[in-house]
Amino acid sequence: MLIKDAAAIDKNFATPKGVIKEDVIYHNATELDVYGVTYEDGVYRRMSYDVAKRISENVALISSECAGGRVRFVTDSPYIAIYVKYRSVAKVPNYSFSATLGFDLYAGKRYAGCFVPPIDTTDVLESVLDVNAEGAQEYTLNFPVCSEISELYIGVKKGCTIGKAPAYTIKTPVVFYGSSTTQGACASRPGNTYENIISRALDCDYVNLGFWGNAMGEEEMAKYIAGLTMSAFVYDYDYNAPDAAHLEATHEKMFKIIRERNPDLPIIILSAPKYYLDETDKKRVAVIEKTYQNAIKSGDKSVCFITGAEMLKDVKDTALADNVHPGDSGFISIAQFVGDALKAFVQNK
């Protein structure tokens, strides 16, 4: 079988084999402001392993995948380099390679480029982007949505400065809980997950608790989330719930556990991002909507419900990458709806 080398045909598909800058100075990301993940026992994690293990073995495993991790910094360097050591790499057929292993970079809210790993990457990535900035600029480096990162270094030109960026305008994080959609499948790159789109638009911190295939609305997870300091909570684990009966047993229960601990917390309830619904889908949406309606009947004024069909109505035939997970157009549309709801709730927090 003939396998073509895309880079030989089009140089824009080439990936660097090692940093080509001889004057690069690396700085450990832990010296800067890291958001959405913490460094624990040699790996970046979205939640403590001991806590995650109490929920399930799979959640413990997935919790060290770095969806939603970000490093924010300011530098006057004309280029940004990264040196990454992976503890594991995720290569999933229907996921973008740039999203599962790659990092992308924003200068302020402007996309500055993606650190795309070579196809044979297994343990190390060293890459560079020329940013050609004049003077100091604020940058956000987004972690990949799946792979485990054991070390991350950010490189700048020798003699240039690098320091911490200003804090987010909304400092208290929004917490997102849900399935693989929440985690970021199938965004083309990390910055295109709907949470990252919202984070840039509202200048807000957030935590991604998406667990592909393993968001089940467990009571232990609900109790963990209830104890977090957050400005809002967004949840959707519709796709991962085995059936409507599972949702019936867990969905409102999760809401009540979190609401009891956080009586004024804005909570946004979502159903699965799907426009064309069969009868089974409709039963699931009805269960989720019942959680919302019961909250409204009890006098709750800090709750919102958005259906997946509503979020995808304008992009219904382009939203999904594989008939399940949103691609970029789907994430952009979801971000618009959820972002508008969050803005009304948290812009003053």
Side-chain angles (χ1 to χ4, degrees):
M1 178 183 294
L2 178 64
I3 301 176
K4 294 182 178 179
D5 181 0
I9 299 171
D10 184 343
K11 65 181 181 179
N12 291 311
F13 287 108
T15 51
K17 300 294 184 181
V19 168
I20 57 175
K21 309 293 185 181
E22 296 182 354
D23 55 356
V24 61
I25 303 295
Y26 279 108
H27 302 265
N28 196 314
T30 57
E31 300 170 9
L32 303 166
D33 285 326
V34 181
Y35 295 86
V37 290
T38 57
Y39 198 69
E40 177 186 301
D41 295 331
V43 68
Y44 288 93
R45 303 188 63 88
R46 293 180 285 153
M47 60 189 299
S48 168
Y49 178 81
D50 290 340
V51 173
K53 192 174 182 179
R54 293 202 302 267
I55 297 163
S56 75
E57 290 290 342
N58 282 344
V59 166
L61 178 66
I62 300 168
S63 64
S64 56
E65 296 177 347
C66 293
R70 286 146 286 136
V71 184
R72 282 160 57 96
F73 57 94
V74 174
T75 182
D76 57 354
S77 178
Y79 64 80
I80 309 295
I82 63 170
Y83 180 84
V84 182
K85 286 188 177 181
Y86 297 96
R87 190 169 79 169
S88 72
V89 297
K91 298 181 180 181
V92 186
N94 54 334
Y95 286 24
S96 162
F97 196 67
S98 299
T100 58
L101 276 78
F103 292 71
D104 63 8
L105 184 71
Y106 281 77
K109 295 183 179 182
R110 177 182 61 82
Y111 173 58
C114 188
F115 298 97
V116 181
I119 198 71
D120 58 353
T121 298
T122 58
D123 55 356
V124 171
L125 168 64
E126 192 172 12
S127 188
V128 64
L129 288 172
D130 290 311
V131 292
N132 299 316
E134 295 183 4
Q137 296 285 325
E138 180 182 325
Y139 295 93
T140 300
L141 178 71
N142 296 308
F143 282 65
V145 301
C146 291
S147 298
E148 296 178 297
I149 308 301
S150 59
E151 294 181 33
L152 171 62
Y153 297 87
I154 297 172
V156 297
K157 181 181 175 67
K158 184 178 180 180
C160 291
T161 61
I162 184 170
K164 295 185 177 184
Y168 282 105
T169 302
I170 300 172
K171 299 177 183 178
T172 306
V174 178
V175 174
F176 296 86
Y177 171 72
S179 63
S180 49
T181 294
T182 305
Q183 187 167 343
C186 290
S188 63
R189 51 184 176 79
N192 282 349
T193 65
Y194 84 87
E195 299 93 343
N196 267 330
I197 295 170
I198 290 171
S199 177
R200 290 192 299 275
L202 301 185
D203 195 33
C204 69
D205 190 12
Y206 78 93
V207 174
N208 185 321
L209 296 180
F211 299 95
W212 53 331
N214 284 274
M216 301 293 183
E218 302 93 340
E219 182 175 352
E220 193 67 33
M221 178 64 82
K223 290 178 179 177
Y224 168 73
I225 293 172
L228 296 176
T229 300
M230 49 188 163
S231 60
F233 175 56
V234 181
Y235 79 126
D236 160 30
Y237 62 96
D238 187 357
Y239 266 140
N240 285 177
D243 48 38
H246 182 93
L247 284 170
E248 188 80 54
T250 61
H251 195 273
E252 187 168 15
K253 184 177 182 179
M254 171 172 262
F255 178 87
K256 287 182 174 179
I257 288 171
I258 293 169
R259 174 57 79 222
E260 182 179 7
R261 185 82 176 265
N262 303 272
D264 300 315
L265 178 73
I267 298 179
I268 298 175
I269 300 169
L270 309 177
S271 61
K274 192 173 185 180
Y275 182 79
Y276 298 106
L277 306 180
D278 59 25
E279 290 306 311
T280 298
D281 296 324
K282 292 175 183 177
K283 289 178 182 178
R284 297 165 76 101
V285 174
V287 171
I288 296 168
E289 184 173 9
K290 188 169 72 170
T291 299
Y292 168 72
Q293 294 294 348
N294 287 342
I296 292 296
K297 290 175 183 176
S298 72
D300 197 320
K301 298 184 184 303
S302 298
V303 62
C304 175
F305 173 52
I306 313 172
T307 68
E310 173 71 9
M311 292 188 291
L312 300 187
K313 65 180 181 179
D314 294 330
V315 291
K316 55 183 178 291
D317 294 313
T318 62
L320 303 183
D322 57 3
N323 209 35
V324 175
H325 304 100
D328 287 350
S329 70
F331 278 125
I332 290 167
S333 189
I334 293 169
Q336 183 65 58
F337 280 87
V338 178
D340 285 348
L342 283 171
K343 185 176 181 180
F345 279 133
V346 305
Q347 60 184 350
N348 296 318
K349 290 185 178 292

